[in-house]
Amino acid sequence: MKHKQWHSEATEIILQTLQSTEHGLSSSIAQQRLSEYGYNRLPVAQKKSALARFTLQFHNLLIYILLGAGAITALLGHWIDSGVIVGVVLINAIIGYIQEGKAERALDAISQMLSHQANVIRDGKHLSIDADQLVPGDIVNLQSGDKVPADLRLLKSRELRIDEAMLTGESLPSEKNIQPCNDNSALGDRHCMAYSGTLVTYGTARGVVVSTAKLTEIGRISEMLDSVSILETPLLRRIGQFGRWLTLTILLITSLTFIFGLLFRGYTATEMFLAAVGLAVAAIPEGLPAIITITLAIGVQAMARRNAIIRRLPAVETLGSVTVICSDKTGTLTCNEMTVQSITLVENQYEVTGVGYSPGGKITQNSTEIDTQSHKTLRELCLSSMLCNDANLQLTNEQWVLHGDPTEGALITLALKSELDYELENRQFPRIDSIPFESEHRFMATLHHDHQHQYFICVKGAPERLLEMCSLQRHDGEETPVDIEFWEQHMSRMASMGQRILAIATRKLEQPQQDLNFDDLEKDLVLLGMVGMIDPPREEAIKAVSESHSAGIQVKMITGDHAETAVAIGRILGIGDGKSVLTGNDIDQMNENELKAAINDIDVFARTSPQHKLRLVSCYQSRGDIVAMTGDGVNDAPALKRADVGVAMGMKGTSVARETSEMVLVDDNFASIVNAVEEGRTVYDNIKKSILFILPTNGGEALTILAAIITGRLLPITPAQILWVNMITAVTLALALAFEPAEKNLMQRPPRDPSEPLLTKFLIWRVIFVSLILVSGTFGLFLLERGNGMSIEYARTVAVNMLVVFEIFYLFNSRFISEHAFKLETFTGNRYAIYAVLTLIVFQALFTYSSPFQVLFGTEAISQQSWLNIILVGSSVFFLVEIEKFFIRKKQRNIISTEK
């Protein structure tokens, strides 16, 4: 038969080019080529030593500041505070070290995907050898269940189907043949090729090795993955900028203060050195890195509850600043379960509801459910679809599980929706013989009989092929000549909706027979109708895409599937205009400027390769976007690694994709990405609130010390007391802000500007404004107590408690950055804030009245009058900040009205 013959002309050219024969290479030539080309293994990248990787985690300016703060606190004898600071540094270093290890394991995971054995022909003999011994020119045999051991040009094939999802992202196995393809064909359209690492799901084949090791498609991906650098997250960039700014500011202020005290206030060098140390300790927000880390960790837990597992801590915040989501189609935006959605007969068209392989759906006509018993042709079509079928559906743990081809699974589900009984119908109409589907004839046929000894044939296949085979069509129970024009119009309509079309036909036999031959299909075949099926979009994904657009986030579909299918799915999801699409070939024809201009107007990209995905992600980043990229295959790994946030599929994703990503979706659902973006925005808001809360404390402390030096007085607060205030408020009050719920309309506002600094002009103003309130109250009460004749220890105890009470009141301002706090929600919306305040009151009581604390920090018990003064002055910050918020909101409203 034709499929058993060598395609002589093409075969001869291929074998001549590779200097091979159909009997395979000789052992001596294979050995020579092994020396020339090397082993069929992916190269292993040079790795840093574990010590070097760990040491590099400390190469960061903010880390240097923290280590300096730890050294200062150690010199002051406060080993617990020093230990906390050093502990924070070590935690961050360990997290970075672990992440780098995972990135290296991603490369190792690709190597594990290669086949270990290969069936070859050498010296005219069939042998099983280690796959790493393969060389170009080797003849390799493939059968169902094999992993393809190298890139092969197929020389012959029989019903060969290969799962190439890891390279192309397509949900259905690719049907292979030996016909040559164009040089510029997309990877998914190269039907005469079998690629290393892919899986043979059906049939047999023979091919010649054309590429091994790093020259294979998977080898190119491995090299790309090794060369792609991980981008620094926006938060880490902002923290780096903030650290540099803070370092310079602290050095400048302490130096000027040291000089000023020596020259203009008559302090000794020793006194000014201690004062400068106190000023530096006051200015360094020791607790801020811990608060940021804890806030991110809380975000990780919140995302895990919403099916998103974070593998790299800073990615939590990065999600909140995402401006573009580049999503794979299959399994992420769609269900990855083929579903019949439409049926076309001569007399009627029907819609089919329900998604996936669950029979929970209906057949409708004009949106009205029908009784399939009264629609004879429809019922016959559903029965033929079920009988001419090799798949099987089973209900396992309340889930319908498919065993077999996805297309055939969709047809069985259709039959179940038409109220046919799978077991009963197969017993009533047992199969006698069949002609399996092959790419050469593009149809499958089965022979059946009933218990009245009536024999009939069921056929399903490509509509173009069955239109050639059918001379008649079923119309209202009668058989009429096939109307080619009618069917072509409906095929065009169904194809425009992205549906894959199958035609169903039948033939009644006059005489009993036990064998089915091709001759039986050449006459009297009756076309029953056509079914349109699709991998349907997830309902929740449609909503999630809409929410993304409301949040100012662009959603791009980048898929290896066909352009028509991608556009149709995009139209349903609300991605793109339903018409425009850019293919991989189109991208190849564009330079960087042309591509950058094109992606402004295009949201759907089809027939893309790993290089195209990586190029698109880089192109969006070059214009300033923060990009999240989803993927599940090896082909997605380079783009996942390059993206600001790589999002891998947890259920159907490869280990390579998971190891290169920052986030893994437990449910493979696009809606979970949008949920994670919402959590990321909440995390960033809470980090901003923490900064807004912590920095005024440092500012107030630093200004208090500056005020004392400028006025030539004793320090109102010692370095040890400063550390107490910084750490005790950070682990209580500031930590409470990490648990703040999402603000209203969080997903209705646009993403923040990626170039926005950690400290915006508004935040700087707020820090200065609150710092001035704190220094006025703290230094004022210190002077009042000293004026009343109180000891320096007493006055300092009042000053410390004044700072703490200021922060308690300011905590409730900080829960809302610009929204007013005069509402019940301010005191009830975050129970952790109340817990923190109560805890802090206990700590301050110990600080003030406990003898060990008095000895350690140099404090004294203070009177009720002093407490009354502290509470009255402390409450002023709440009202003053709310007045400031009022004027800011008024200014914002005026700006908006002016713009309108």
Side-chain angles (χ1 to χ4, degrees):
M1 292 181 69
K2 181 180 178 182
H3 60 254
K4 290 183 178 178
Q5 296 171 350
W6 289 74
H7 195 277
S8 58
E9 185 179 347
T11 298
E12 286 177 10
I13 294 172
I14 296 163
L15 293 177
Q16 284 174 11
T17 303
L18 292 165
Q19 296 180 357
S20 183
T21 71
E22 62 185 85
H23 302 295
L25 300 174
S26 67
S27 298
S28 58
I29 291 177
Q31 193 61 42
Q32 289 174 9
R33 293 189 183 182
L34 187 63
S35 302
E36 180 182 354
Y37 293 99
Y39 288 101
N40 181 31
R41 302 172 189 153
L42 297 182
V44 179
Q46 187 69 33
K47 297 181 181 179
K48 301 187 194 85
S49 70
L51 180 62
R53 281 198 359 245
F54 186 71
T55 304
L56 285 172
Q57 306 306 318
F58 297 92
H59 185 54
N60 180 287
L61 188 57
L62 187 58
I63 298 298
Y64 299 152
I65 296 172
L66 287 172
L67 290 173
I72 291 170
T73 52
L75 289 172
L76 292 169
H78 295 279
W79 300 105
I80 295 176
D81 296 326
S82 180
V84 169
I85 296 168
V86 173
V88 168
V89 172
L90 285 173
I91 289 170
N92 286 332
I94 290 168
I95 290 170
Y97 175 80
I98 292 171
Q99 178 57 28
E100 277 198 17
K102 288 178 178 176
E104 288 189 354
R105 286 199 297 276
L107 292 171
D108 295 339
I110 290 185
S111 299
Q112 297 302 315
M113 301 188 75
L114 301 183
S115 176
H116 297 295
Q117 293 290 313
N119 294 312
V120 301
I121 303 175
R122 281 191 182 170
D123 299 317
K125 299 176 182 178
H126 291 262
L127 304 171
S128 178
I129 66 171
D130 290 338
D132 63 4
Q133 300 287 322
L134 286 176
V135 294
D138 263 325
I139 304 298
V140 176
N141 291 317
L142 297 175
Q143 61 184 10
S144 181
D146 283 351
K147 229 178 217 183
V148 180
D151 283 5
L152 309 177
R153 170 58 165 90
L154 298 177
L155 301 174
K156 68 175 183 177
S157 70
R158 178 180 175 84
E159 304 171 39
L160 183 66
R161 297 176 208 170
I162 298 181
D163 182 355
E164 296 181 330
M166 58 177 281
L167 293 178
T168 65
E170 288 195 55
S171 54
L172 295 174
S174 177
E175 296 172 5
K176 297 293 183 177
N177 55 55
I178 61 175
Q179 302 302 320
C181 57
N182 295 327
D183 291 339
N184 60 350
S185 297
L187 190 68
D189 293 328
R190 299 174 193 168
H191 301 301
C192 60
M193 293 292 297
Y195 292 105
S196 179
T198 58
L199 182 68
V200 178
T201 60
Y202 197 82
T204 58
R206 180 174 294 175
V208 59
V209 175
V210 294
S211 300
T212 60
K214 65 182 181 181
L215 298 179
T216 61
E217 286 297 322
I218 197 171
R220 291 174 186 172
I221 293 171
S222 178
E223 284 198 320
M224 270 197 293
L225 188 58
D226 189 30
S227 63
V228 172
S229 58
I230 300 174
L231 295 183
E232 193 176 30
T233 68
L235 179 63
L236 294 179
R237 289 198 293 269
R238 299 290 85 80
I239 288 176
Q241 291 174 353
F242 172 72
R244 289 187 290 274
W245 173 84
L246 185 63
T247 303
L248 292 173
T249 303
I250 291 172
L251 291 174
L252 181 63
I253 292 176
T254 52
S255 299
L256 291 175
T257 304
F258 185 84
I259 295 169
F260 179 84
L262 282 178
L263 298 179
F264 299 102
R265 286 295 177 263
Y267 290 106
T268 66
T270 302
E271 288 173 332
M272 278 314 302
F273 176 76
L274 290 174
V277 168
L279 182 59
V281 170
I284 294 174
E286 297 93 342
L288 184 57
I291 292 300
I292 290 176
T293 302
I294 292 168
T295 304
L296 292 172
I298 291 169
V300 167
Q301 293 177 339
M303 289 180 182
R305 290 193 292 271
R306 303 181 78 172
N307 296 319
I309 306 300
I310 298 296
R311 300 179 60 255
R312 192 171 175 229
L313 207 57
V316 178
E317 178 275 332
T318 309
L319 276 163
S321 56
V322 162
T323 58
V324 173
I325 299 176
C326 296
S327 179
D328 187 25
K329 175 182 71 68
T330 305
T332 309
L333 293 168
T334 64
C335 301
N336 200 18
E337 294 182 340
M338 295 300 289
T339 305
V340 174
Q341 289 198 325
S342 67
I343 304 170
T344 298
L345 310 181
V346 175
E347 60 265 30
N348 288 312
Q349 284 83 52
Y350 303 92
E351 304 84 39
V352 185
T353 65
V355 171
Y357 301 128
S358 168
K362 301 177 177 64
I363 299 177
T364 65
Q365 187 177 12
N366 299 322
S367 301
T368 303
E369 184 181 358
I370 63 166
D371 178 11
T372 56
Q373 298 285 352
S374 58
H375 293 251
K376 186 177 179 182
T377 307
L378 172 64
R379 193 164 180 83
E380 190 175 359
L381 178 143
C382 293
L383 177 62
S384 295
S385 300
M386 175 182 280
L387 297 176
C388 188
N389 203 306
D390 288 328
N392 185 25
L393 280 177
Q394 290 183 341
L395 186 61
T396 306
N397 296 327
E398 299 185 359
Q399 281 228 303
W400 288 88
V401 179
L402 170 66
H403 300 281
D405 183 79
T407 300
E408 295 191 323
L411 293 176
I412 292 179
T413 303
L414 170 66
L416 295 176
K417 289 175 182 177
S418 71
E419 300 180 354
L420 289 170
D421 185 313
Y422 181 79
E423 300 293 338
L424 178 62
E425 306 302 337
N426 277 283
R427 285 198 303 270
Q428 276 191 317
F429 308 104
R431 182 188 296 188
I432 304 170
D433 196 13
S434 66
I435 296 175
F437 180 90
E438 292 186 20
S439 55
E440 285 83 357
H441 51 247
R442 300 166 64 205
F443 66 81
M444 173 183 177
T446 53
L447 173 63
H448 302 263
H449 72 82
D450 60 19
H451 296 301
Q452 283 75 44
H453 303 290
Q454 299 291 321
Y455 288 73
F456 62 96
I457 299 169
C458 299
V459 186
K460 74 170 188 293
E464 301 87 352
R465 183 71 181 97
L466 261 64
L467 282 175
E468 295 173 358
M469 297 165 62
C470 294
S471 56
L472 301 171
Q473 63 188 22
R474 188 66 48 81
H475 185 188
D476 287 332
E478 297 181 0
E479 295 174 0
T480 61
V482 170
D483 186 343
I484 300 294
E485 185 177 347
F486 169 85
W487 291 110
E488 286 180 344
Q489 287 177 354
H490 282 281
M491 286 163 58
S492 177
R493 173 183 61 83
M494 296 161 81
S496 69
M497 295 186 288
Q499 295 179 357
R500 181 180 182 181
I501 308 167
L502 276 181
I504 311 296
T506 188
R507 179 194 168 194
K508 289 184 179 178
L509 299 175
E510 300 296 332
Q511 301 292 330
Q513 63 184 63
Q514 299 301 311
D515 298 313
L516 184 59
N517 301 302
F518 283 95
D519 294 342
D520 299 321
L521 307 174
E522 292 179 356
K523 59 180 180 180
D524 301 330
L525 210 58
V526 180
L527 183 64
L528 296 175
M530 296 184 183
V531 297
M533 60 184 69
I534 199 169
D535 178 11
R538 296 174 182 263
E539 289 295 329
E540 58 270 35
I542 297 173
K543 180 183 176 183
V545 168
S546 176
E547 289 177 354
S548 298
H549 291 156
S550 298
I553 301 171
Q554 300 178 60
V555 180
K556 311 289 182 177
M557 181 196 297
I558 306 179
T559 178
D561 214 336
H562 294 281
E564 297 80 6
T565 305
V567 168
I569 295 293
R571 188 187 306 122
I572 300 170
L573 287 161
I575 300 175
D577 58 9
K579 299 176 184 176
S580 304
V581 61
L582 211 60
T583 66
N585 284 337
D586 297 330
I587 294 172
D588 287 333
Q589 306 305 315
M590 297 180 177
N591 60 36
E592 294 307 308
N593 290 332
E594 290 171 338
L595 182 59
K596 196 180 291 187
I599 62 176
N600 289 325
D601 304 314
I602 302 293
D603 295 327
V604 178
F605 303 89
R607 258 353 196 190
T608 54
S609 69
Q611 292 91 334
H612 297 139
K613 294 183 180 184
L614 180 59
R615 191 177 169 197
L616 286 168
V617 169
S618 299
C619 205
Y620 282 115
Q621 288 172 330
S622 69
R623 67 178 197 177
D625 283 304
I626 303 297
V627 181
M629 172 76 197
T630 75
D632 55 5
V634 179
N635 60 322
D636 300 314
L640 287 172
K641 186 178 178 183
R642 173 68 186 186
D644 296 279
V645 183
V647 183
M649 303 300 109
M651 293 173 66
K652 298 178 180 176
T654 62
S655 59
V656 180
R658 290 194 293 271
E659 290 292 346
T660 52
S661 66
E662 282 78 26
M663 184 171 84
V664 177
L665 298 183
V666 175
D667 57 357
D668 291 9
N669 194 336
F670 182 83
S672 296
I673 304 173
V674 180
N675 293 337
V677 168
E678 182 179 0
E679 292 293 345
R681 290 190 175 190
T682 302
V683 165
Y684 185 77
D685 276 359
N686 291 348
I687 289 174
K688 195 158 64 172
K689 290 172 184 177
S690 297
I691 292 170
L692 207 56
F693 176 78
I694 288 174
L695 291 189
T697 305
N698 297 102
E701 292 166 353
L703 289 176
T704 299
I705 292 173
L706 276 175
I709 294 170
I710 290 170
T711 58
R713 296 179 178 274
L714 292 172
L715 295 182
I717 183 168
T718 67
Q721 291 169 344
I722 288 169
L723 281 171
W724 166 264
V725 174
N726 286 356
M727 296 311 297
I728 201 65
T729 55
V731 298
T732 55
L733 302 183
L735 186 57
L737 293 173
F739 294 92
E740 280 293 302
E743 292 197 354
K744 295 176 182 176
N745 302 320
L746 182 72
M747 292 298 284
Q748 274 69 56
R749 69 192 192 201
R752 75 175 191 278
D753 185 350
S755 62
E756 178 185 279
L758 197 62
L759 282 181
T760 60
K761 291 180 180 178
F762 164 71
L763 289 183
I764 293 172
W765 153 251
R766 174 69 64 81
V767 168
I768 294 172
F769 178 65
V770 176
S771 296
L772 289 172
I773 297 172
L774 266 60
V775 69
S776 300
T778 302
F779 197 54
L781 276 189
F782 173 78
L783 293 177
L784 176 65
E785 297 296 351
R786 290 293 284 163
N788 290 337
M790 295 299 179
S791 67
I792 186 64
E793 290 78 14
Y794 188 98
R796 282 174 173 168
T797 305
V798 170
V800 171
N801 280 294
M802 183 71 260
L803 272 174
V804 171
V805 171
F806 264 137
E807 295 211 18
I808 289 174
F809 279 101
Y810 181 53
L811 173 69
F812 296 102
N813 293 118
S814 302
R815 289 199 59 220
F816 309 98
I817 294 173
S818 58
E819 192 179 335
H820 74 82
F822 293 113
K823 50 189 173 183
L824 184 62
E825 183 188 347
T826 301
F827 306 99
T828 60
N830 182 355
R831 67 180 185 275
Y832 296 101
I834 303 300
Y835 298 159
V837 170
L838 294 175
T839 302
L840 187 56
I841 290 172
V842 172
F843 276 123
Q844 284 307 118
L846 291 171
F847 176 84
T848 307
Y849 297 106
S850 171
S851 296
F853 281 83
Q854 289 176 342
V855 172
L856 188 62
F857 292 102
T859 59
E860 284 186 10
I862 59 177
S863 66
Q864 290 184 357
Q865 182 60 48
S866 294
W867 276 115
L868 181 61
N869 293 339
I870 288 170
I871 293 170
L872 286 174
V873 175
S875 64
S876 65
V877 71
F878 182 83
F879 298 102
L880 289 172
V881 171
E882 289 306 314
I883 292 170
E884 179 245 12
K885 285 184 186 179
F886 170 78
F887 284 108
I888 286 176
R889 289 196 301 271
K890 185 177 180 181
K891 182 180 178 181
Q892 288 174 341
R893 285 195 296 269
N894 291 337
I895 292 172
I896 293 171
S897 61
T898 302
E899 289 176 350
K900 289 182 179 179

